Amino acid sequence: MSEKAEFYFSTAQEAEQAFYSAFEACDPELMEAVWAEGAVSCIHPGAPVIHGRQQVLSSWQQIFTGAQPPALKIETISQVAQELLAVHTVIERISADHHIDSPTTEIIATNTLVRQENGWRMLQHHASVNIQIEDNYNATHDAPNALQ
């Protein structure tokens, strides 16, 4: 078990970046540091919801075991925030390696982050295969600036 106290994410964006860094590096210690204490949940594409911190961390450990680090490109679709809670919607473009001609899978994900005493942490990650991405999504939909 890692020393989570050594990781302090001062913004929700910083915590989310650490999450994707952990994913791309297949780094279980950083992934553990990113997740909040308490009731967390995670939904991997095509899988049922996983509840509980240890169960979520075990799911990431299973993904990392024997895996080659993937190449990730993250595109932010929207971000909404309050003082203690942030919700980010992103498109994750994932390929098996960093070759330019490697096939890419597009995942749409919602990351809910919470501010705790030890900084911002991931509370919930929900990812699903992106059936269709509208090229003009941002032009036709206004993302809210703050949670109501």
Side-chain angles (χ1 to χ4, degrees), residues 28-109:
E29 289 184 15
L30 181 55
M31 185 60 77
E32 180 180 348
V34 168
W35 284 88
E37 296 294 333
V40 301
S41 65
C42 183
I43 302 173
H44 298 293
V49 64
I50 301 166
H51 293 285
R53 190 170 192 282
Q54 289 309 314
Q55 292 82 354
V56 167
L57 293 174
S58 291
S59 75
W60 283 103
Q61 183 64 49
Q62 290 172 4
I63 290 169
F64 295 161
T65 300
Q68 293 296 317
L72 297 176
K73 291 189 189 296
I74 308 303
E75 177 186 347
T76 301
I77 300 300
S78 69
Q79 295 182 344
V80 295
Q82 282 188 333
E83 184 178 336
L84 300 176
L85 189 70
V87 179
H88 298 173
T89 303
V90 301
I91 296 172
E92 304 170 349
R93 292 184 175 86
I94 305 170
S95 57
D97 55 46
H98 294 271
H99 292 106
I100 196 148
D101 58 348
S102 295
T104 300
T105 300
E106 289 188 340
I107 305 294
I108 191 156

Side-chain angles (χ1 to χ4, degrees), residues 106-127:
E106 289 188 340
I107 305 294
I108 191 156
T110 301
N111 298 317
T112 305
L113 301 111
V114 62
R115 186 173 176 191
Q116 298 184 321
E117 288 182 15
N118 60 347
W120 285 88
R121 297 290 190 256
M122 185 73 71
L123 183 65
Q124 190 263 345
H125 174 73
H126 179 177

Side-chain angles (χ1 to χ4, degrees), residues 77 91 93 106 108 130-137:
I77 300 300
I91 296 172
R93 292 184 175 86
E106 289 188 340
I108 191 156
N130 194 9
I131 303 301
Q132 180 179 0
I133 298 175
E134 302 269 342
D135 288 336
N136 62 353
Y137 179 87

